[in-house]
Amino acid sequence: MCSLTMPAFCHFGFAAAVAWEAGKPLVIEEVEVAPPQKMEVRVKILFNSLCHTDVNFWEAKGQNPLFPRILGHEAGGIVEGVGEGVKELVPGDHVLPVFTGECKECAHCKSEESNVCDLLRINTDRGVMIHDGKSRFSKEGKPIYHFVGTSTFSEYTVVHVGCLAKINPLAPLDKVCVLSCGISTGFGATLNVAKPVKGSTVAVFGLGAVGLAAAEGARVSGASRIIGVDLNPNKFEQAKQFGVTEFVNPKDYNRPVQEVIAEMTDGGVDRSVECTAHIDAMISAFECVHDGWGVAVLVGAPSKDAVFKTHPVNFLNGRTLKGTTFGNYKPRSDIPGVVEKYMNKELELEKFITHEVPFAEINKALDYMLEGESIRCIIRMEH
């Protein structure tokens, strides 16, 4: 087994959880992980956090099936070795792999207004590395596909350098690993995009991990009222820990939920953040903000056939609709600072972590997610 004390780039006998078929239990296999090529880094993964996106692509419901595949994209690890051209990272650096990247050279990366890198933006269909169109994973000579450029359900993985955030080595990886996807997405959607001012009213649609992180962002911003909207009443009590002050279950009303929220808030909330991926919730999130100044931010990725319908007068009356990927954070430039927010106790992460399992029991993490029991389940990679 390779380790940081052994010569770089041995590549046999690493354990990985392989998804061989849609919806079938992940199988811990011994796989080969090839050395990093140009602008690539090989990372020893120490901790994973299960995100619902992993579950969606494992089930392949409404997604393009691509198997066999190594899923996982919310993780923390240590650089084992670097390929040609990599200058910012060296073995021993602590990193968070991120599903979207930052090449630092394209127009998006050079813009202060965008984090959607031309080269490294999320691509859920690509199962190979950009450099040569090949996988770095194989078993018995047959390739195993990558997932969103990270594939962290493996003891070792190979990632493009632009998709790795170098972080404070004192930060506990079993906590800050949750910042490499969902928590940063929700938190940033509120802080960086919705930008509520102190005393604002904020509605958050969907009280899963991303929605709770959005609520946390509203709490940190000093919002006076944070209204949680969800179809599952069991989530309401837990959401209070994240600053949610009021709850609305659309099932309890025989009229559109946006009308209910507008009535509750004397015309609408100042900001709303939608974290469900359902088109009806997206429309409600937009239509529930106050005319004249209300801003709605869409975070969830809807089905490919979804159509957003609202009357143009909603825009003409001064409402603003925005969207975001990864909370508008640039992975390499911004995520180290988010980690420091945790280190400085400005951001609480422990309350997002509800379960923990060893790597050998990774399927339990899937069960917790499917049963709605967990916000985030940490997967310890060591044997």
Side-chain angles (χ1 to χ4, degrees):
M1 186 66 65
C2 286
S3 74
L4 292 176
T5 59
M6 294 180 67
F9 306 149
C10 51
H11 52 271
F12 291 98
F14 299 135
V18 179
W20 290 102
E21 296 179 60
K24 297 295 178 65
L26 304 181
V27 181
I28 304 294
E29 301 276 13
E30 187 174 288
V31 302
E32 179 180 344
V33 184
Q37 302 301 307
K38 185 176 181 180
M39 301 307 289
E40 296 174 1
V41 178
R42 194 157 71 173
V43 180
K44 180 179 182 179
I45 299 297
L46 298 182
F47 297 95
N48 268 287
S49 169
L50 181 65
C51 173
H52 206 280
T53 300
D54 294 309
V55 177
N56 288 344
F57 281 84
W58 166 65
E59 293 182 313
K61 293 179 179 178
Q63 314 292 348
N64 292 329
L66 186 61
F67 298 98
R69 199 172 204 179
I70 296 174
L71 298 166
H73 66 286
E74 201 172 90
I78 300 176
V79 172
E80 180 226 16
V82 301
E84 177 190 346
V86 176
K87 299 177 181 178
E88 292 185 18
L89 296 173
V90 297
D93 283 342
H94 287 215
V95 291
L96 300 183
V98 181
F99 65 89
T100 185
E102 181 186 356
C103 73
K104 295 194 173 183
E105 297 178 358
C106 70
H108 284 277
C109 287
K110 291 179 179 179
S111 168
E112 294 183 359
E113 300 181 45
S114 175
N115 71 331
V116 189
C117 175
D118 277 331
L119 178 67
L120 299 169
R121 67 180 62 186
I122 184 172
N123 184 329
T124 57
D125 293 332
R126 185 174 60 233
V128 294
M129 298 300 290
I130 291 174
H131 172 62
D132 58 4
K134 296 180 181 179
S135 174
R136 302 290 174 261
F137 299 107
S138 62
K139 182 172 176 62
E140 298 175 353
K142 297 180 180 179
I144 299 172
Y145 293 112
H146 293 249
F147 178 62
V148 295
T150 54
S151 291
T152 59
F153 290 169
S154 175
E155 289 183 311
Y156 285 81
T157 188
V158 177
V159 181
H160 191 285
V161 65
C163 294
L164 291 169
K166 179 182 175 180
I167 64 167
N168 185 341
L170 298 178
L173 288 173
D174 60 335
K175 305 296 189 298
V176 298
C177 64
V178 302
L179 292 174
S180 58
C181 182
I183 309 309
S184 293
T185 295
F187 192 69
T190 302
L191 261 63
N192 300 335
V193 188
K195 298 180 179 178
V197 298
K198 187 174 182 180
S200 296
T201 54
V202 179
V204 176
F205 286 72
L207 296 177
V210 177
L212 293 174
E216 180 77 356
R219 183 189 69 80
V220 170
S221 299
S224 61
R225 298 173 68 183
I226 304 174
I227 302 169
V229 184
D230 201 287
L231 297 174
N232 183 355
N234 295 329
K235 294 182 178 181
F236 293 168
E237 190 64 32
Q238 185 179 54
K240 292 179 182 178
Q241 300 177 51
F242 301 85
V244 175
T245 58
E246 300 159 70
F247 306 98
V248 173
N249 185 340
K251 290 182 179 179
D252 293 340
Y253 302 89
N254 56 8
R255 54 188 171 131
V257 70
Q258 53 265 46
E259 294 181 9
V260 175
I261 294 173
E263 187 177 280
M264 291 171 60
T265 55
D266 193 23
V269 290
D270 301 309
R271 301 289 187 266
S272 71
V273 185
E274 180 283 323
C275 307
T276 72
H278 294 293
I279 194 65
D280 290 341
M282 293 181 173
I283 295 169
S284 295
F286 175 58
E287 294 183 353
C288 81
V289 299
H290 206 290
D291 58 3
W293 63 80
V295 177
V297 178
L298 307 186
V299 178
S303 67
K304 60 183 179 180
D305 299 322
V307 178
F308 188 99
K309 294 182 179 181
T310 191
H311 199 283
V313 75
N314 287 319
F315 292 99
L316 298 174
N317 284 345
R319 295 178 179 87
T320 299
L321 180 65
K322 293 184 175 184
T324 178
T325 296
F326 195 49
N328 270 34
Y329 286 120
K330 294 177 186 285
R332 298 160 88 181
S333 299
D334 298 334
I335 292 305
V338 182
V339 169
E340 291 308 309
K341 283 183 180 291
Y342 167 73
M343 297 296 283
N344 296 332
K345 302 188 185 305
E346 300 170 41
L347 171 62
E348 300 174 17
L349 295 180
E350 284 80 1
K351 60 190 179 184
F352 288 96
I353 299 169
T354 55
H355 296 77
E356 186 175 305
V357 297
F359 187 38
E361 298 177 16
I362 189 171
N363 286 295
K364 278 189 179 180
L366 295 172
D367 291 339
Y368 291 142
M369 179 72 75
L370 289 170
E371 293 164 7
E373 293 184 15
S374 67
I375 300 176
R376 279 295 185 262
C377 179
I378 300 300
I379 301 160
R380 302 189 311 275
M381 299 299 289
E382 75 274 16
H383 287 300

